[in-house]
Amino acid sequence: MSQNKNALIRYKTIDKCLQNKYRTWTLDDLIAACSDALFEYEGRENAVSKRTVQMDIQLMRSEKLGYNAPIVVYDKKYYTYEDEEFTITNIPLTETDINVLTETVSMLKQFKDFSLFNDVSDILQRLEDKIYAEKSQTQPVIYLDKNEKLKGLPFLEEIYQAIIKKTVLVITYKSFKSQEETVFHFHGFILKEFNNRWFLIGRRKKNQPITNLALDRIIAIDYDFNMPHLEENFNADLYYKNVVGVTVNTGLRPHRFELWIDAINAPYVLTKPLHNSQRLIKQNEDGSIIIHLFVIPNYELARIFLGFGSGLEVIRPDYFRNQMKSVIQKSLARYAE
């Protein structure tokens, strides 16, 4: 058990003792009560030292924990609360506490598609009741982008549970490029969100490459409880280290991209880099910049570049520059019709 949790158990134990006015409490009594409480939680002997309980009482009295507990000693021996109604479990929330809790509740409620939310929903409800009892209802300040009408969201919970329980999925899938549905086994490793869409990352078979499946293209999900799930130590940080988005083109190495960004978009790119590898190479007199990226080219990267319109130019590599040029020319031709 962590030291922080041990300390909380001791604080609550001391508090419970001092609320009991039907007996007297010496320091030795409090030490014994704390030791018993820790034994109950941990199932093993964990003697608490005299100095530890003395420090606990000192901290409970102070403002450091926000308790300001009115602990007094009478007859130079017995500990009690000067205010008989006091308890550390009834400390009023400060305005800062309320604001933080309000935003935390608002953010957590946006993850209602997961069973994780179900596990804490009752806690959140009690938190909201406490918050609204202390403060008039206000609009949340933090708002996460979401699309509740996105297809595939109902599968989030099923897939999440399958990954946690290492269960092989049987997925009915229809990609945008396919005319017909396909059914296959899939070993899921992680769920990844990008650009407000969810993807399942994993393998179909051990000898096949890692791939991603868009949840909005999944038609149905079943399970194969007889097939063992692939044991793989998948490292998402390492796998996506050189990638923007979700598509990792297996076999391709990272390329050095040189990009020109106009003066209007330069501040945005500098303050929100396109990738961790981004480096500023040159600051031009007109406010435009030249940057380098070291990434594996993919569909998402091209979409991001094209999203800048005339504000971005791919200087290198030549093959990617030509791809961008071809797309832009086709787009221009469509507008010329």
Side-chain angles (χ1 to χ4, degrees):
M1 187 181 293
S2 69
Q3 291 303 310
N4 285 341
K5 194 165 186 179
N6 278 344
L8 287 174
I9 292 171
R10 295 196 306 271
Y11 301 151
K12 289 177 69 176
T13 302
I14 294 170
D15 177 64
K16 187 176 180 180
C17 290
L18 300 186
Q19 287 182 73
N20 184 355
K21 305 302 178 183
Y22 295 100
R23 62 161 292 182
T24 56
W25 296 95
T26 65
L27 185 60
D28 288 339
D29 293 332
L30 295 176
I31 293 170
C34 289
S35 297
D36 290 343
L38 289 174
F39 176 77
E40 183 180 339
Y41 277 91
E42 294 185 312
R44 58 187 177 89
E45 293 290 343
N46 192 1
V48 179
S49 69
K50 179 179 180 180
R51 176 173 172 77
T52 296
V53 174
Q54 287 176 323
M55 289 296 295
D56 289 342
I57 292 171
Q58 199 170 342
L59 280 170
M60 290 173 69
R61 283 170 169 161
S62 72
E63 295 182 356
K64 187 173 182 179
L65 299 176
Y67 294 154
N68 294 303
I71 301 174
V72 294
V73 182
Y74 66 94
D75 294 340
K76 298 181 180 180
K77 185 177 182 181
Y78 302 110
Y79 289 77
T80 188
Y81 281 141
E82 189 174 26
D83 178 358
E84 293 186 356
E85 302 300 321
F86 182 86
T87 170
I88 63 173
T89 61
N90 195 29
I91 304 297
L93 295 172
T94 66
E95 185 175 354
T96 300
D97 294 335
I98 294 170
N99 291 336
V100 171
L101 285 172
T102 301
E103 292 305 327
T104 302
V105 168
S106 298
M107 285 191 290
L108 285 173
K109 287 175 71 176
Q110 296 184 60
F111 291 92
K112 61 181 180 295
D113 296 299
F114 291 103
S115 61
L116 292 174
F117 176 81
N118 295 330
D119 293 339
V120 300
S121 61
D122 185 52
I123 299 172
L124 292 181
Q125 183 60 57
R126 294 200 301 271
L127 270 176
E128 284 188 301
D129 291 343
K130 177 68 174 177
I131 291 167
Y132 296 147
E134 302 263 354
K135 175 184 178 182
S136 60
Q137 185 171 353
T138 58
Q139 292 295 323
V141 177
I142 299 174
Y143 186 82
L144 300 178
D145 191 22
K146 60 185 183 296
N147 184 356
E148 294 184 350
K149 294 185 178 180
L150 182 67
K151 290 181 62 178
L153 287 181
F155 293 126
L156 269 175
E157 170 61 17
E158 289 186 73
I159 295 172
Y160 169 78
Q161 290 296 337
I163 294 173
I164 293 297
K165 297 173 182 176
K166 296 189 180 298
T167 303
V168 178
L169 292 162
V170 180
I171 295 179
T172 304
Y173 193 79
K174 184 179 180 182
S175 70
F176 288 120
K177 298 179 181 178
S178 176
Q179 296 294 322
E180 297 181 356
E181 301 173 359
T182 57
V183 180
F184 50 84
H185 286 76
F186 199 82
H187 305 258
F189 299 152
I190 64 166
L191 281 161
K192 179 174 171 60
E193 188 271 343
F194 176 72
N195 197 25
N196 210 18
R197 294 182 72 200
W198 284 92
F199 299 84
L200 170 61
I201 316 300
R203 294 186 194 270
R204 293 196 185 190
K205 296 180 180 179
K206 186 175 182 179
N207 60 348
Q208 291 188 346
I210 294 173
T211 186
N212 69 74
L213 304 177
L215 264 63
D216 54 22
R217 305 311 303 158
I218 293 177
I219 307 300
I221 284 178
D222 203 346
Y223 311 96
D224 188 336
F225 297 105
N226 297 317
M227 179 180 286
H229 192 276
L230 289 177
E231 292 296 330
E232 182 160 342
N233 187 20
F234 179 74
N235 187 324
D237 289 332
L238 184 61
Y239 185 69
Y240 286 107
K241 178 181 178 182
N242 298 312
V243 165
V244 174
V246 296
T247 306
V248 179
N249 292 318
T250 307
L252 288 183
R253 293 184 176 181
H255 293 188
R256 187 174 297 280
F257 285 77
E258 185 174 329
L259 309 174
W260 171 88
I261 312 291
D262 68 4
I264 295 175
N265 289 285
Y268 298 98
V269 174
L270 289 174
T271 53
K272 186 187 176 185
L274 301 177
H275 186 260
N276 290 334
S277 63
Q278 178 177 306
R279 297 293 181 271
L280 175 64
I281 303 304
K282 186 179 180 182
Q283 181 93 44
N284 299 316
E285 292 184 2
D286 63 356
S288 64
I289 59 173
I290 294 177
I291 61 171
H292 278 182
L293 302 179
F294 192 64
V295 292
I296 297 173
N298 61 9
Y299 173 76
E300 294 95 308
L301 187 68
R303 288 291 298 268
I304 289 173
F305 287 174
L306 290 169
F308 281 89
S310 62
L312 180 148
E313 177 187 353
V314 177
I315 302 174
R316 294 185 183 84
D318 290 338
Y319 79 91
F320 208 86
R321 175 184 173 88
N322 291 333
Q323 287 181 16
M324 295 293 99
K325 184 177 179 180
S326 176
V327 172
I328 293 169
Q329 285 176 338
K330 289 178 181 178
S331 180
L332 182 61
R334 183 168 297 280
Y335 279 98
E337 293 178 355

